[in-house]
Amino acid sequence: GSDIRGEDDVLALQSLPSFNETLGPAESELLLTYLTAPYLRVPLLLGFFMDRARLSLLREPQLQAVLDAALFEPGPWLSAEDAVRGPPKTVPGPDRKHLGTPAGFLY
């Protein structure tokens, strides 16, 4: 497969995965594009599959695995020590620790 790091990489793909012919090219492109958005990935995917016409797509094990991986990806963790420290004093912050949560992306 191709290494996809962003939306431009999705748009440049010669062939899109069909997930065992469950998705058409437009839906596949949309799904892959959603997967490239780190902090918006979960709500975008839930919105994608919440549509009545797409809910049945989750019968496909590959799509179940994609959703499962996105939902339970650990994401950036915020330690108790970093939580006490509070938000950064400058913008941009000196590091990305302040973007973490106690439960990763699920918080």
Side-chain angles (χ1 to χ4, degrees):
S2 300
D3 189 23
I4 297 175
R5 297 191 185 274
E7 185 178 355
D8 292 337
D9 296 330
V10 172
L11 298 174
L13 289 174
Q14 296 297 320
S15 64
L16 295 163
S18 67
F19 298 94
N20 289 327
E21 299 187 21
T22 305
L23 294 180
E27 285 184 316
S28 181
E29 182 179 295
L30 185 61
L31 181 68
L32 293 177
T33 301
Y34 286 171
L35 292 172
T36 66
Y39 292 97
L40 296 175
R41 180 179 304 137
V42 171
L44 289 172
L45 286 174
L46 291 176
F48 180 86
F49 288 112
M50 188 171 51
D51 183 289
R52 282 188 181 271
R54 292 186 181 133
L55 183 60
S56 64
L57 297 175
L58 287 173
R59 71 184 182 279
E60 169 55 43
Q62 289 180 340
L63 290 174
Q64 291 173 16
V66 167
L67 183 60
D68 186 64
L71 286 175
F72 298 106
E73 177 183 5
W77 293 92
L78 184 68
S79 68
E81 177 184 297
D82 290 331
V84 172
R85 194 167 33 141
K89 306 285 188 245
T90 61
V91 175
D95 55 36
R96 298 180 60 87
K97 287 183 181 180
H98 64 280
L99 298 176
T101 69
F105 283 130
L106 286 178
Y107 186 70

